[in-house]
Amino acid sequence: MTGRNVRLAAGAVALVGGLWGLFNPTAAQFASTTIAGWALLIVGLLQGRAAWQASEARERAGAILFSAAALFLGLSLVFGPFGDGSLLRNILGVLLLVSGAAKFWMGRALRGDPFFPVILAAAGVSVVLGGLVLAGNQVTLGFVLSLELLADGAALFVLGFRQGITQKAG
């Protein structure tokens, strides 16, 4: 499986997981976080594989950071919660900020590219969600995670499509 296909597969998993979480409003909070947790684990593993296959150091660094954030958050959701949940919220907030920073990092190479606004928007969603969670706003984790998965999916699809265009041109 090429890096392009890995990113497209990870994007599809993230989008499906995000939509599934958003369109199950009657599901319990536990179900939303479990769905998002497993989707983040799969996204993290696929993004880790993409990092392994990356040829440029900048691309590899961004993919490793993205993968680590997704894996840690997914593990925290699947095997958590910790204590009263405040630790999980703080971890989630920080990891969302890290995820946003990783998307900004990976998107820097696309400045001036038609795909750049999508990466920038996905990074912004992650940063805003991280800020909301850390500020203590009363947002449900399932909703936050679903939005993050949608942002991750959009970023991964754009990066995968961009990689395919670059490979065909080169």
Side-chain angles (χ1 to χ4, degrees):
M1 200 175 218
T2 66
R4 174 183 184 266
N5 291 338
V6 170
R7 283 207 170 120
L8 291 173
V13 169
L15 288 172
V16 168
L19 289 172
W20 191 6
L22 280 180
F23 291 117
N24 285 314
T26 57
Q29 178 71 22
F30 177 77
S32 296
T33 55
T34 301
I35 291 166
W38 282 106
L40 281 166
L41 284 173
I42 294 168
V43 167
L45 290 172
L46 290 171
Q47 189 63 15
R49 181 170 176 169
W52 181 265
Q53 295 175 336
S55 58
E56 293 182 27
R58 180 181 0 180
E59 182 182 346
R60 181 172 285 159
I64 288 170
L65 189 58
F66 193 129
S67 175
L71 284 171
F72 189 78
L73 183 55
L75 287 170
S76 298
L77 291 171
V78 171
F79 298 112
F82 304 102
D84 64 353
S86 62
L87 177 61
L88 179 61
R89 280 192 178 276
N90 289 333
I91 289 171
L92 174 64
V94 169
L95 288 174
L96 287 169
L97 293 175
V98 168
S99 176
K103 289 179 197 122
F104 276 123
W105 178 267
M106 289 188 302
R108 291 180 328 145
L110 298 178
R111 267 190 226 141
D113 190 287
F115 294 119
F116 181 68
V118 177
I119 301 296
L120 190 64
V125 166
S126 297
V127 169
V128 167
L129 290 173
L132 287 172
V133 169
L134 288 175
N137 290 352
Q138 297 299 322
V139 291
T140 63
L141 290 180
F143 182 71
V144 168
L145 292 169
S146 296
L147 291 178
E148 173 63 8
L149 281 168
L150 291 172
D152 285 350
L156 288 167
F157 260 117
V158 164
L159 290 170
F161 282 130
R162 179 70 176 116
Q163 187 174 358
I165 290 169
T166 303
Q167 287 173 349
K168 287 179 185 174

